């Protein structure tokens, strides 16, 4: 006798919420679709092997060449360098916060880490450009400090917060019984942390590092301001261009095949990031299971 | 004898590791203190009334960032207005409506993917989708739309978490009393989840204020004062640099580092303020949750 069928408003809102849920999926599909549509023409024009492995990037030359090996290698080296520098420091900081710091001190340091992650990337870029780059130039007696090394330093600082917070969460999730057993067998607290807790949290720690790699590969503005922006093959103190900065610095004046090639770079970058995301998902799932 | 030397080795190793732990934490704190201190010291002296409330004038040789301040405000408001219904709706769908676990997984995977995409890619995709396909050109509206997509995963995640913390018994009670689903969500589920939504808003606002790469090609670098709300045409078709983009332009293209540092100092203050507000809202959320569990 009572209402069996939902009122129109109820049905309408149900539809609205379903639509909202599906928008997220639609956006991912749209972004992928458009990047592929925009990126494939230049790939077809130059040929995938030549595009990925070509060492020469001279889009505005008489006979333009589109080889993105310099950008690819720079991005890989940059991310690797940033992780090599940032991961140990971040991990140690996470251990400090999760295990050895007095709670009061940890409560003071943790907001600092969060704040570090909230600083806009252009601000990192500005400080890098005016403080770090001159310092690097003076320290190593270079004609110009802007280059891969400065970029790695800036990236290392920028990925610190994500490494610290994800690793700390992983360390905290380790069951206390493990540590109790180790302590009862006579290991000191430090030994317990490094021999028992860290290995048990390795999945989460690996996830934090992968997250850091993703951040480092995707960062554009800060790197744009400190890397020098010349399409050189990467070397520690040379001016270089990353995948991201190639797009950011050339998009405004590019046209024709050059512009299409920049979209292809974005496609390559997107592919990289998707790879990193899948890996991250795997690691987090494994930790959960 | 041998155990004694062993334990000394262990003791030394323990001390070294402990020292390393403290050093790394100290390094992180020193980095933050150094960065904040340096930026505020160099920037704040250049934050003047003239800078804040005029626009740059080549004729008079003055610098002003009023247009950029306003652009930032517009973009934040517009992006939030767009992302809030979408994100909250998606979260409600995930926690209240979705029937098939496969669909839930697809939406959650999509949100995670969106969270991982770097901002420069958002910039390009926004340029292709909003500026070219929808014909918006380089405009604040296109920039806001792009940032709305970018902040969608943040709003979905925080809302979803706070919706999950609403006890199931609330829903059962409401449904048992004969309420419809939407009526139940509106009256019983959403009010206690409000804090989470607010946190999501603040986090998104922080992300929008700090964003630059995604705006470079979507909202553009316009530096002059526009009356955006005077007409739809203005809002949808005039380009405008937000504070972050203006910082980039002043530092990299005009080598005007004083203005750049002044903007950086303002951005740091905004970041600090948003961070504290988010923390405050988060604490309220946790306290409420504690009350509910008792």
């Amino acid at each position: 006798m009572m209402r069996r069928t939902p009122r129109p408003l109820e049905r309408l809102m149900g539809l609205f919420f379903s639509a909202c849920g599906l928008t997220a999926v639609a956006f991912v599909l749209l972004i992928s679709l458009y990047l592929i549509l925009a990126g494939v023409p230049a790939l077809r024009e130059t040929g995938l092997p030549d595009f990925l492995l070509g060492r020469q990037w001279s889009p505005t030359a008489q006979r333009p060449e589109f080889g993105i090996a310099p950008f690819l290698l720079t991005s890989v080296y940059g991310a690797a360098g940033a992780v090599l520098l940032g991961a140990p420091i971040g991990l140690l900081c996470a251990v400090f916060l999760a295990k050895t710091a007095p709670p009061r001190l940890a409560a003071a340091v943790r907001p600092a880490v969060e704040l570090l992650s909230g600083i806009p990337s252009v601000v990192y870029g500005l400080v890098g450009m005016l403080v770090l780059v001159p310092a690097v130039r003076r320290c190593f007696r270079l004609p110009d400090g802007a280059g891969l090394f400065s970029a790695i330093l800036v990236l290392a600082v920028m990925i610190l917060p994500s490494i610290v917070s994800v690793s700390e969460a992983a360390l905290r999730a380790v069951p206390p019984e493990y540590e109790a057993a180790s302590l009862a067998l006579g290991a000191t607290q430090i030994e317990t942390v490094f021999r028992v807790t860290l290995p048990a949290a390795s999945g989460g720690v690996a996830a934090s590092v992968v997250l850091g790699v993703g951040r480092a590969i995707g960062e554009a503005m800060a790197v744009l301001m400190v890397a020098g922006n010349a399409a050189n093959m990467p070397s520690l103190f040379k001016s270089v261009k990353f995948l991201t900065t190639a797009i950011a610095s050339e998009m405004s004046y590019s046209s024709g095949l050059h512009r299409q090639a920049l979209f292809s770079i974005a496609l390559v970058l997107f592919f990289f990031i998707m790879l990193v995301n899948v890996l991250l998902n795997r690691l987090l799932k494994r930790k959960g299971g | 004898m041998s155990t004694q030397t062993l334990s000394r080795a262990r003791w030394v190793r323990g001390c070294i590791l402990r020292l390393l732990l403290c050093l790394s934490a100290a390094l992180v704190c020193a980095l933050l203190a150094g960065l904040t201190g340096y930026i505020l010291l160099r920037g704040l002296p250049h934050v003047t009334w003239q800078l804040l409330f005029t626009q740059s004038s080549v004729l008079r040789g003055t610098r002003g960032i009023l247009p950029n301040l306003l652009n930032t405000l517009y973009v934040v408001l517009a992006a939030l207005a767009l992302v809030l219904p979408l994100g909250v709706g998606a979260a409600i769908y995930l926690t209240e409506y979705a029937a098939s676990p496969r669909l839930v997984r697809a939406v959650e995977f999509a949100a995670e993917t969106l969270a991982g995409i770097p901002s420069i890619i958002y910039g390009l995709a926004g340029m292709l989708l909003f500026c070219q396909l929808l014909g918006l050109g380089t405009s604040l509206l296109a920039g806001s739309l792009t940032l709305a997509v970018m902040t969608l995963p943040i709003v979905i995640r925080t809302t979803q978490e706070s919706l999950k913390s609403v006890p199931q018994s609330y829903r059962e009670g409401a449904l048992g009393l004969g309420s419809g689903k939407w009526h139940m969500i509106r009256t019983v589920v959403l009010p206690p989840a409000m804090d989470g939504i607010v946190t999501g808003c603040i986090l998104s606002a922080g992300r929008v204020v700090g964003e630059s790469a995604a705006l470079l090609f979507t909202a553009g670098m316009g530096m002059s004062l526009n009356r955006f709300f005077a007409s739809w045409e203005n809002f949808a078709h005039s380009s405008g640099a937000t504070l972050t983009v203006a910082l980039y332009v002043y530092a990299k293209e005009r080598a005007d580092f004083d203005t750049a540092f002044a903007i950086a100092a303002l951005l740091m203050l905004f970041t600090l303020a948003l961070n504290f507000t988010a923390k405050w809202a988060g604490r309220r959320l946790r306290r409420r949750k504690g009350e509910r569990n008792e």
Side-chain angles (χ1 to χ4, degrees):
Chain A
M1 199 48 225
M2 293 292 291
R3 282 190 303 266
R4 282 283 160 75
T5 53
R7 280 174 299 179
L9 178 67
E10 292 284 340
R11 198 176 316 156
L12 197 72
M13 291 316 283
L15 278 177
F16 169 73
F17 290 131
S18 314
C20 286
L22 293 178
T23 340
V25 182
F27 278 135
V28 173
L29 291 180
L30 264 180
I31 291 175
S32 317
L33 183 74
Y34 263 82
L35 281 178
I36 291 171
L37 280 182
V40 163
L43 284 182
R44 200 174 278 164
E45 190 101 2
T46 53
L48 190 62
D50 284 348
F51 188 73
L52 289 179
L53 303 176
R55 292 161 146 258
Q56 188 66 34
W57 174 264
S58 45
T60 49
Q62 198 73 34
R63 283 193 53 230
E65 286 195 60
F66 300 98
I68 63 162
F71 309 149
L72 261 177
L73 285 178
T74 304
S75 275
V76 170
Y77 287 1
V83 164
L84 276 181
L85 269 179
I89 298 175
L91 192 55
L92 286 173
C93 188
V95 170
F96 178 80
L97 286 177
K99 296 296 163 190
T100 69
R104 278 267 186 80
L105 189 59
V109 175
R110 210 168 287 127
V113 176
E114 281 165 27
L115 270 181
L116 217 49
S117 76
I119 298 177
S121 53
V122 278
V123 174
Y124 279 113
L126 180 67
V127 175
M129 191 173 146
L130 292 182
V131 179
L132 189 65
V133 167
V136 167
R137 191 187 60 210
R138 252 175 279 126
C139 273
F140 298 96
R141 308 227 159 76
L142 303 166
D144 186 4
L148 184 57
F149 186 65
S150 303
I152 285 178
L153 288 181
V154 170
L155 284 177
V157 175
M158 292 186 74
I159 64 172
L160 260 183
S162 32
I163 291 184
V164 174
S165 54
V166 176
S167 307
E168 197 202 336
L171 286 169
R172 279 179 185 282
V174 173
E177 291 85 7
Y178 291 16
E179 289 163 19
S182 163
L183 289 172
L185 287 171
T188 63
Q189 192 206 0
I190 290 282
E191 283 166 347
T192 304
V193 168
F194 281 92
R195 299 259 171 86
V196 177
T197 319
L198 263 184
S202 62
V205 170
S208 80
V209 171
V210 173
L211 188 66
V213 170
R215 286 276 152 79
I217 288 182
E219 178 51 45
M221 297 307 279
V223 171
L224 183 60
M225 293 165 91
V226 297
N229 298 324
N232 290 321
M233 287 302 268
S235 124
L236 202 51
F237 292 111
K238 255 205 257 172
S239 160
V240 289
K241 247 181 201 178
F242 288 66
L243 285 173
T244 48
T245 55
I247 303 170
S249 61
E250 294 181 19
M251 187 50 89
S252 54
Y253 65 83
S254 65
S255 61
L257 187 57
H258 182 192
R259 175 162 279 226
Q260 287 175 339
L262 292 181
F263 282 121
S264 308
I265 295 181
L267 186 61
V268 172
L269 178 63
F270 187 64
F271 181 71
F272 253 90
I273 292 290
M274 290 306 265
L275 221 60
V276 168
N277 274 353
V278 169
L279 193 61
L280 188 66
N281 249 319
R282 282 275 163 78
L283 285 169
L284 287 175
K285 286 261 163 56
R286 203 184 66 190
K287 194 190 74 178
Chain B
M1 175 63 205
S2 78
T3 52
Q4 191 116 46
T5 49
L6 187 70
S7 68
R8 168 160 303 167
R10 280 171 68 184
W11 184 78
V12 170
R13 209 175 320 145
C15 280
I16 293 175
L17 284 175
R18 216 174 260 277
L19 186 72
L20 278 177
L21 291 181
C22 292
L23 272 181
S24 59
L27 180 69
V28 171
C29 292
L31 268 174
L32 178 77
L35 266 172
T36 320
Y38 181 77
I39 290 163
L40 291 183
L41 279 180
R42 268 207 73 171
L44 281 184
H46 300 286
V47 180
T48 56
W49 291 119
Q50 191 191 41
L51 186 80
L52 289 179
F53 293 110
T54 60
Q55 54 176 322
S56 288
S57 155
V58 182
L59 280 179
R60 273 174 284 153
T62 57
R63 295 264 183 261
I65 55 167
L66 180 65
N68 312 116
L69 267 172
L70 290 178
N71 288 340
T72 307
L73 187 67
Y74 295 148
V75 170
V76 168
L77 291 180
L80 281 186
L82 288 164
V83 79
L84 255 188
L86 259 184
V88 173
I92 289 179
Y93 172 72
L94 284 178
T95 45
E96 312 291 333
Y97 281 89
S100 100
R102 194 180 284 170
L103 210 54
V104 173
R105 231 176 303 142
V107 176
E108 279 178 346
F109 178 74
E112 277 163 29
T113 309
L114 282 180
I117 294 177
S119 49
I120 183 88
I121 300 250
Y122 276 111
L124 283 191
M127 185 176 103
L128 288 171
L129 272 176
F130 301 125
C131 302
Q132 292 176 3
L133 186 74
L134 296 186
L136 293 172
T138 316
S139 68
L140 281 176
L141 183 62
S144 312
L145 281 165
T146 310
L147 291 190
V149 180
M150 201 175 83
T151 48
L152 187 62
I154 303 178
V155 176
I156 292 183
R157 204 192 50 237
T158 48
T159 311
Q160 210 186 346
E161 268 168 27
S162 66
L163 285 179
K164 274 184 191 160
S165 81
V166 175
Q168 204 58 36
S169 56
Y170 283 27
R171 299 187 177 89
E172 286 158 6
L175 290 176
L177 288 172
S179 152
K181 203 153 197 178
W182 161 238
H183 191 253
M184 167 199 87
I185 292 169
R186 187 164 54 84
T187 52
V188 177
V189 178
L190 274 184
M194 220 49 198
D195 308 33
I197 298 173
V198 172
T199 310
C201 272
I202 300 169
L203 289 178
S204 311
R207 184 86 201 267
V208 172
V209 168
E211 187 47 55
S212 43
L215 288 171
L216 221 47
F217 313 123
T218 52
M221 301 197 192
M223 289 292 218
S224 56
L225 199 56
N226 284 302
R227 302 231 324 271
F228 298 102
F229 292 125
S231 71
W232 173 250
E233 282 292 295
N234 267 345
F235 188 62
H237 293 292
S238 51
S239 92
T242 59
L243 282 175
T244 42
V245 177
L247 193 164
Y248 172 75
V249 171
Y250 279 120
K252 192 83 182 160
E253 291 176 4
R254 303 191 185 170
D256 177 359
F257 299 122
D258 290 341
T259 313
F261 266 106
I263 299 176
L266 284 177
L267 284 172
M268 288 296 280
L269 291 179
F270 286 152
T271 311
L272 279 173
L274 283 171
N275 220 297
F276 281 120
T277 334
K279 192 149 292 159
W280 175 76
R283 206 172 304 140
R284 279 197 50 173
L285 175 70
R286 267 197 300 282
R287 206 166 56 212
R288 285 264 200 94
K289 227 191 276 180
E291 276 167 21
R292 236 179 273 140
N293 291 340
E294 272 165 30

